[in-house]
Amino acid sequence: MTELPAYVLLVLRALLAVSLYAFLAWALGLVWQDLRRAGLQPHTRQIPPIRLVAPDHPEFTLPAAFTTPVVVIGRDAASDCCLANETVSASHARLTYARRQWWLEDLGSRNGTYLNGVTVDTPIVLTNQDSIQLGKVTILVELDDDGKDMP
């Protein structure tokens, strides 16, 4: 059996090294593209609407649905959801859309915030048909979970 000349082995080693580095560059490029795509998805995802209804207080004309990531509820006219009631603080509570869920948070209100009768001390996840009590005002939550349009 004849041995290959040294320069042929050197060329084969060089080709093997170049092909290995080319494969690694291709694999890292795919991983980089995947990470970029995953990072962009939360920003392009549409926020599902949340609807607030005050059945016991017809004087409150609430918007049909909120689609912004933060909704401040309070007595102040600058609030996203204004409830002109003396038991509601100026900035009473905040609804935030994060991690693909709506969250309720009390903003240090004087009369407290309650979710289904339980005091809200820390941010808590909302579900469809939850009852939020702000002072003496009760609001029902309607979430568009099915992807269908809300009335």
Side-chain angles (χ1 to χ4, degrees):
M1 194 151 121
T2 59
E3 287 188 24
L4 293 174
Y7 69 89
V8 173
L9 289 177
L10 181 63
V11 169
L12 288 175
R13 285 182 183 167
L15 287 174
L16 183 61
V18 168
S19 63
L20 177 63
Y21 284 119
F23 173 76
L24 288 175
W26 174 75
L28 287 174
L30 284 179
V31 169
W32 176 255
Q33 286 177 355
D34 192 42
L35 287 173
R36 283 190 58 211
R37 235 176 295 150
L40 292 176
Q41 282 180 350
H43 302 294
T44 59
R45 199 175 285 145
Q46 191 174 15
I47 298 172
I50 184 169
R51 184 170 183 214
L52 304 176
V53 180
D56 299 334
H57 299 276
E59 68 273 14
F60 299 137
T61 55
L62 301 176
F66 294 98
T67 56
T68 57
V70 177
V71 178
V72 176
I73 304 171
R75 189 179 65 236
D76 187 8
S79 297
D80 300 310
C81 179
C82 181
L83 302 175
N85 185 290
E86 66 277 353
T87 63
V88 177
S89 298
S91 291
H92 200 105
R94 176 175 35 229
L95 303 174
T96 307
Y97 186 75
R99 295 179 292 227
R100 301 180 71 183
Q101 296 176 320
W102 280 101
W103 295 75
L104 171 66
E105 175 184 8
D106 183 68
L107 297 177
S109 63
R110 180 185 58 214
N111 292 323
T113 301
Y114 301 89
L115 179 64
N116 300 324
V118 178
T119 304
V120 175
D121 295 326
T122 59
I124 189 167
V125 175
L126 291 172
T127 58
N128 197 25
Q129 298 301 314
D130 273 345
S131 173
I132 301 173
Q133 185 176 345
L134 310 160
K136 293 184 179 179
V137 177
T138 301
I139 295 174
L140 296 177
V141 174
E142 294 179 3
L143 297 175
D144 185 18
D145 293 331
D146 308 351
K148 296 182 236 165
D149 292 334
M150 292 180 5

